[in-house]
Amino acid sequence: MSGARSVMELSLFGPLFARERARGADKPTGRIVDIHVHFDEKNPGFLDDLLKLADQMNLTACLLTPFSHRRVVAEAAKQHPRQIVPFGFVDLDAPDVVRQVEELHSLGFRGLGELEFVKKPYNDPSYFPVYELANRYGWLVLFHTGIVVRKNFNEPEDVASGRMRPIHLEEIARRFPKITLVGAHCGNPEYEWAAEIARWNPNVFFDLSGSTLTKMHGRLAEFQRIFWWSAIDWSVMTPDNDPSAFIKLVFGSDSDLAGVESVANQYRAMFDACDVPERTRKMIMGGTLAKLLGPPE
Ligand SMILES: [Zn+2]
């Protein structure tokens, strides 16, 4: 999602986030892996700022990198492999997207995302050559799912949230089983479809970034109705064989760097409201992604 929207939300809901930060301040902080950190092209000191935050928060960032910045991020990731995992932010409709993806792989990139603003639904066969490569590389791919911002209120634009519904991830997950798909924003507002697809597909996870945790602030326990199958054996694979339905979530901030901690505290408030077991919390905040990505401890 665009940084502009994140900043807007943070300023609108600043007081609310501050309260949650105060409440969560005494909690011990384990390893955090954030699937959803957008490279900020407007901040020339971004990489330094990110490294500082990574040290403060014990954080590894999957850095969603515009193609034009691929080299500087590839280099930074080589020097700071515990802090930065490079992900390529490509346009699925670009005529040379396959070549871009091959180059990203040769530079040591570990995945793609955030894929968004597509001209066709995510499961359109014209996108399969990209998914075939991601499958061959065993990559993680972060897809925007659900409602998307309108960037310009007065100009026509070829954008539709319906092309980015979480249900489209199911076909990709089944056709390309070596891709790990992460749906950003848990399909907002199609949480139930998102959760059900994650339940049956071991290679599908979702993050709760965006406006969802703000929207659900006063009713966070409702997530128990969406992630409802804890401790019921469906004979599907989960990380560490964790029986909690919440194991299908991973941490993603989709925030500017100043807001990452606030989003982490929003996740923690949801964990408390839903009695998410301690070991599952650790997996959501970093364990699952650390395992999938294998970054240095
Ligand atoms: Zn998004």
Short mmCIF file of all heavy atoms in Angstrom, two decimals, residues 1 5-6 9-10 13 17 36 114 144-145 147 184-186 188 191 207-216 252-255 263 266-267:
data_model
loop_
_atom_site.label_atom_id
_atom_site.label_comp_id
_atom_site.label_asym_id
_atom_site.label_seq_id
_atom_site.Cartn_x
_atom_site.Cartn_y
_atom_site.Cartn_z
N MET A 1 0.83 -1.19 0.00
CA MET A 1 0.00 0.00 0.00
C MET A 1 0.87 1.24 0.00
O MET A 1 1.99 1.21 0.43
CB MET A 1 -0.88 0.02 1.24
CG MET A 1 -2.14 -0.78 1.10
SD MET A 1 -3.20 -0.16 -0.17
CE MET A 1 -2.94 1.55 0.10
N ARG A 5 -1.07 6.74 2.19
CA ARG A 5 -2.24 6.32 2.95
C ARG A 5 -1.85 5.94 4.38
O ARG A 5 -2.53 6.25 5.33
CB ARG A 5 -2.92 5.14 2.27
CG ARG A 5 -4.32 4.91 2.77
CD ARG A 5 -4.47 3.55 3.33
NE ARG A 5 -3.18 3.16 3.84
CZ ARG A 5 -2.91 2.01 4.33
NH1 ARG A 5 -3.80 1.11 4.36
NH2 ARG A 5 -1.72 1.72 4.76
N SER A 6 -0.70 5.26 4.50
CA SER A 6 -0.26 4.86 5.83
C SER A 6 -0.05 6.07 6.72
O SER A 6 -0.47 6.10 7.86
CB SER A 6 1.04 4.08 5.75
OG SER A 6 0.87 2.95 4.93
N GLU A 9 -3.33 7.51 7.80
CA GLU A 9 -3.99 6.76 8.87
C GLU A 9 -3.29 6.96 10.19
O GLU A 9 -3.92 7.08 11.22
CB GLU A 9 -3.98 5.27 8.52
CG GLU A 9 -5.02 4.95 7.49
CD GLU A 9 -5.32 3.47 7.42
OE1 GLU A 9 -4.56 2.69 7.99
OE2 GLU A 9 -6.31 3.14 6.78
N LEU A 10 -1.97 7.01 10.14
CA LEU A 10 -1.24 7.16 11.39
C LEU A 10 -1.56 8.49 12.05
O LEU A 10 -1.72 8.57 13.26
CB LEU A 10 0.27 7.04 11.15
CG LEU A 10 0.71 5.60 10.86
CD1 LEU A 10 2.15 5.58 10.41
CD2 LEU A 10 0.55 4.74 12.10
N PHE A 13 -5.15 8.36 13.49
CA PHE A 13 -5.37 7.49 14.63
C PHE A 13 -4.21 7.55 15.62
O PHE A 13 -4.03 6.67 16.44
CB PHE A 13 -5.60 6.06 14.15
CG PHE A 13 -6.86 5.95 13.34
CD1 PHE A 13 -6.81 5.96 11.96
CD2 PHE A 13 -8.09 5.89 13.96
CE1 PHE A 13 -7.98 5.88 11.21
CE2 PHE A 13 -9.25 5.83 13.22
CZ PHE A 13 -9.20 5.83 11.84
N PHE A 17 -3.15 4.94 18.72
CA PHE A 17 -1.93 4.13 18.69
C PHE A 17 -1.08 4.41 19.91
O PHE A 17 -0.47 3.52 20.47
CB PHE A 17 -1.13 4.42 17.42
CG PHE A 17 -1.73 3.85 16.17
CD1 PHE A 17 -2.91 3.13 16.22
CD2 PHE A 17 -1.10 4.01 14.96
CE1 PHE A 17 -3.46 2.59 15.07
CE2 PHE A 17 -1.64 3.47 13.80
CZ PHE A 17 -2.82 2.77 13.86
N HIS A 36 6.18 -6.46 5.42
CA HIS A 36 5.53 -5.39 4.66
C HIS A 36 6.17 -4.02 4.95
O HIS A 36 5.55 -3.14 5.54
CB HIS A 36 4.05 -5.39 5.03
CG HIS A 36 3.16 -4.77 3.98
ND1 HIS A 36 1.93 -5.30 3.65
CD2 HIS A 36 3.31 -3.67 3.21
CE1 HIS A 36 1.36 -4.55 2.73
NE2 HIS A 36 2.17 -3.54 2.44
N GLU A 114 5.18 -5.50 -2.95
CA GLU A 114 3.80 -5.90 -2.87
C GLU A 114 3.19 -5.81 -4.27
O GLU A 114 3.18 -4.72 -4.86
CB GLU A 114 3.04 -4.98 -1.89
CG GLU A 114 1.58 -5.27 -1.74
CD GLU A 114 0.90 -4.23 -0.81
OE1 GLU A 114 1.49 -3.15 -0.56
OE2 GLU A 114 -0.21 -4.50 -0.37
N HIS A 144 -1.13 -7.51 -2.45
CA HIS A 144 -2.18 -6.69 -1.85
C HIS A 144 -3.50 -7.43 -2.02
O HIS A 144 -3.80 -7.93 -3.10
CB HIS A 144 -2.26 -5.33 -2.54
CG HIS A 144 -3.45 -4.52 -2.08
ND1 HIS A 144 -3.35 -3.60 -1.06
CD2 HIS A 144 -4.75 -4.57 -2.45
CE1 HIS A 144 -4.56 -3.10 -0.85
NE2 HIS A 144 -5.43 -3.67 -1.67
N THR A 145 -4.30 -7.52 -0.94
CA THR A 145 -5.65 -8.08 -1.10
C THR A 145 -6.68 -7.13 -0.51
O THR A 145 -6.46 -6.50 0.52
CB THR A 145 -5.80 -9.47 -0.43
OG1 THR A 145 -5.50 -9.39 0.97
CG2 THR A 145 -4.89 -10.50 -1.08
N ILE A 147 -9.63 -3.98 -0.42
CA ILE A 147 -9.88 -2.59 -0.82
C ILE A 147 -8.56 -1.85 -1.02
O ILE A 147 -7.60 -2.07 -0.30
CB ILE A 147 -10.77 -1.88 0.24
CG1 ILE A 147 -11.28 -0.55 -0.27
CG2 ILE A 147 -10.03 -1.72 1.56
CD1 ILE A 147 -12.37 -0.69 -1.32
N ALA A 184 -1.63 -9.35 1.81
CA ALA A 184 -1.61 -8.19 2.69
C ALA A 184 -3.04 -7.80 3.05
O ALA A 184 -3.97 -8.00 2.26
CB ALA A 184 -0.91 -7.02 2.00
N HIS A 185 -3.20 -7.29 4.25
CA HIS A 185 -4.47 -6.71 4.73
C HIS A 185 -5.59 -7.74 4.94
O HIS A 185 -6.74 -7.37 5.13
CB HIS A 185 -4.98 -5.60 3.78
CG HIS A 185 -3.89 -4.78 3.16
ND1 HIS A 185 -2.99 -4.07 3.92
CD2 HIS A 185 -3.53 -4.57 1.86
CE1 HIS A 185 -2.13 -3.47 3.10
NE2 HIS A 185 -2.42 -3.75 1.86
N CYS A 186 -5.23 -9.04 4.89
CA CYS A 186 -6.20 -10.10 5.17
C CYS A 186 -7.48 -9.95 4.33
O CYS A 186 -8.57 -10.29 4.78
CB CYS A 186 -6.53 -10.16 6.66
SG CYS A 186 -7.13 -11.78 7.20
N ASN A 188 -9.16 -7.36 3.41
CA ASN A 188 -10.10 -6.35 3.92
C ASN A 188 -11.10 -5.89 2.86
O ASN A 188 -10.71 -5.32 1.85
CB ASN A 188 -9.30 -5.14 4.43
CG ASN A 188 -10.18 -4.04 4.96
OD1 ASN A 188 -11.35 -4.24 5.27
ND2 ASN A 188 -9.61 -2.84 5.06
N TYR A 191 -12.42 -10.99 5.15
CA TYR A 191 -11.58 -11.73 6.09
C TYR A 191 -11.91 -13.22 6.08
O TYR A 191 -11.03 -14.06 6.24
CB TYR A 191 -11.75 -11.20 7.51
CG TYR A 191 -11.60 -9.71 7.62
CD1 TYR A 191 -12.65 -8.91 8.06
CD2 TYR A 191 -10.39 -9.09 7.27
CE1 TYR A 191 -12.50 -7.53 8.15
CE2 TYR A 191 -10.24 -7.72 7.36
CZ TYR A 191 -11.31 -6.93 7.80
OH TYR A 191 -11.17 -5.58 7.88
N ASP A 207 -1.25 -10.92 6.31
CA ASP A 207 -0.90 -9.93 7.33
C ASP A 207 -2.13 -9.08 7.64
O ASP A 207 -3.13 -9.10 6.92
CB ASP A 207 0.34 -9.11 6.94
CG ASP A 207 0.09 -7.93 5.99
OD1 ASP A 207 -1.02 -7.37 5.98
OD2 ASP A 207 1.04 -7.55 5.27
N LEU A 208 -2.06 -8.40 8.78
CA LEU A 208 -3.19 -7.57 9.24
C LEU A 208 -2.85 -6.09 9.16
O LEU A 208 -3.34 -5.29 9.96
CB LEU A 208 -3.57 -7.95 10.68
CG LEU A 208 -4.40 -9.23 10.85
CD1 LEU A 208 -4.61 -9.52 12.33
CD2 LEU A 208 -5.75 -9.10 10.15
N SER A 209 -2.01 -5.74 8.19
CA SER A 209 -1.68 -4.32 8.05
C SER A 209 -2.85 -3.58 7.41
O SER A 209 -3.82 -4.19 6.96
CB SER A 209 -0.43 -4.17 7.16
OG SER A 209 -0.72 -4.59 5.85
N GLY A 210 -2.72 -2.25 7.38
CA GLY A 210 -3.78 -1.43 6.81
C GLY A 210 -4.76 -1.00 7.88
O GLY A 210 -4.42 -0.88 9.05
N SER A 211 -6.01 -0.78 7.47
CA SER A 211 -6.96 -0.17 8.40
C SER A 211 -7.71 -1.18 9.28
O SER A 211 -8.45 -0.80 10.17
CB SER A 211 -7.97 0.66 7.61
OG SER A 211 -8.54 -0.11 6.56
N THR A 212 -7.49 -2.49 9.06
CA THR A 212 -8.30 -3.50 9.74
C THR A 212 -8.21 -3.43 11.26
O THR A 212 -9.24 -3.43 11.95
CB THR A 212 -7.91 -4.90 9.24
OG1 THR A 212 -8.33 -5.01 7.88
CG2 THR A 212 -8.57 -5.99 10.07
N LEU A 213 -7.00 -3.39 11.80
CA LEU A 213 -6.88 -3.41 13.27
C LEU A 213 -7.39 -2.11 13.88
O LEU A 213 -7.77 -2.09 15.06
CB LEU A 213 -5.42 -3.68 13.68
CG LEU A 213 -4.96 -5.13 13.42
CD1 LEU A 213 -3.45 -5.26 13.61
CD2 LEU A 213 -5.70 -6.12 14.32
N THR A 214 -7.42 -1.06 13.09
CA THR A 214 -8.03 0.20 13.55
C THR A 214 -9.55 0.08 13.51
O THR A 214 -10.24 0.39 14.49
CB THR A 214 -7.56 1.36 12.66
OG1 THR A 214 -6.14 1.43 12.72
CG2 THR A 214 -8.17 2.68 13.11
N LYS A 215 -10.08 -0.42 12.40
CA LYS A 215 -11.52 -0.60 12.26
C LYS A 215 -12.07 -1.50 13.36
O LYS A 215 -13.13 -1.25 13.92
CB LYS A 215 -11.81 -1.22 10.89
CG LYS A 215 -13.23 -1.67 10.68
CD LYS A 215 -13.53 -2.02 9.22
CE LYS A 215 -12.62 -3.04 8.59
NZ LYS A 215 -13.03 -3.39 7.20
N MET A 216 -11.34 -2.59 13.68
CA MET A 216 -11.81 -3.59 14.63
C MET A 216 -11.36 -3.29 16.07
O MET A 216 -11.50 -4.15 16.94
CB MET A 216 -11.27 -4.97 14.22
CG MET A 216 -11.55 -5.35 12.79
SD MET A 216 -13.16 -6.08 12.54
CE MET A 216 -12.83 -7.77 13.03
N GLY A 252 2.97 -7.77 9.51
CA GLY A 252 3.29 -6.83 8.45
C GLY A 252 2.86 -5.45 8.91
O GLY A 252 1.77 -5.30 9.47
N SER A 253 3.69 -4.44 8.71
CA SER A 253 3.35 -3.11 9.23
C SER A 253 2.74 -2.21 8.16
O SER A 253 1.82 -1.46 8.44
CB SER A 253 4.58 -2.44 9.85
OG SER A 253 5.54 -2.17 8.84
N ASP A 254 3.26 -2.24 6.95
CA ASP A 254 2.80 -1.32 5.89
C ASP A 254 2.71 0.11 6.41
O ASP A 254 1.75 0.82 6.13
CB ASP A 254 1.43 -1.77 5.35
CG ASP A 254 1.05 -1.01 4.08
OD1 ASP A 254 1.95 -0.44 3.42
OD2 ASP A 254 -0.14 -0.96 3.75
N SER A 255 3.73 0.51 7.14
CA SER A 255 3.70 1.81 7.81
C SER A 255 4.99 2.54 7.45
O SER A 255 5.94 1.92 6.96
CB SER A 255 3.64 1.55 9.31
OG SER A 255 4.11 2.65 10.02
N VAL A 263 2.02 -0.53 15.02
CA VAL A 263 1.32 -1.66 14.41
C VAL A 263 1.61 -2.94 15.20
O VAL A 263 0.73 -3.76 15.43
CB VAL A 263 1.71 -1.82 12.92
CG1 VAL A 263 0.96 -2.99 12.30
CG2 VAL A 263 1.41 -0.54 12.15
N GLN A 266 -0.66 -2.96 18.00
CA GLN A 266 -2.02 -3.33 17.58
C GLN A 266 -2.15 -4.84 17.46
O GLN A 266 -3.17 -5.43 17.86
CB GLN A 266 -2.35 -2.69 16.23
CG GLN A 266 -2.62 -1.20 16.29
CD GLN A 266 -3.15 -0.71 14.95
OE1 GLN A 266 -2.52 -0.92 13.91
NE2 GLN A 266 -4.30 -0.07 14.96
N TYR A 267 -1.15 -5.48 16.88
CA TYR A 267 -1.17 -6.96 16.81
C TYR A 267 -1.26 -7.53 18.23
O TYR A 267 -2.03 -8.46 18.49
CB TYR A 267 0.12 -7.48 16.14
CG TYR A 267 0.05 -7.73 14.65
CD1 TYR A 267 -0.01 -6.69 13.73
CD2 TYR A 267 0.07 -9.03 14.14
CE1 TYR A 267 -0.04 -6.93 12.37
CE2 TYR A 267 0.04 -9.28 12.77
CZ TYR A 267 0.00 -8.22 11.88
OH TYR A 267 -0.03 -8.47 10.52
#
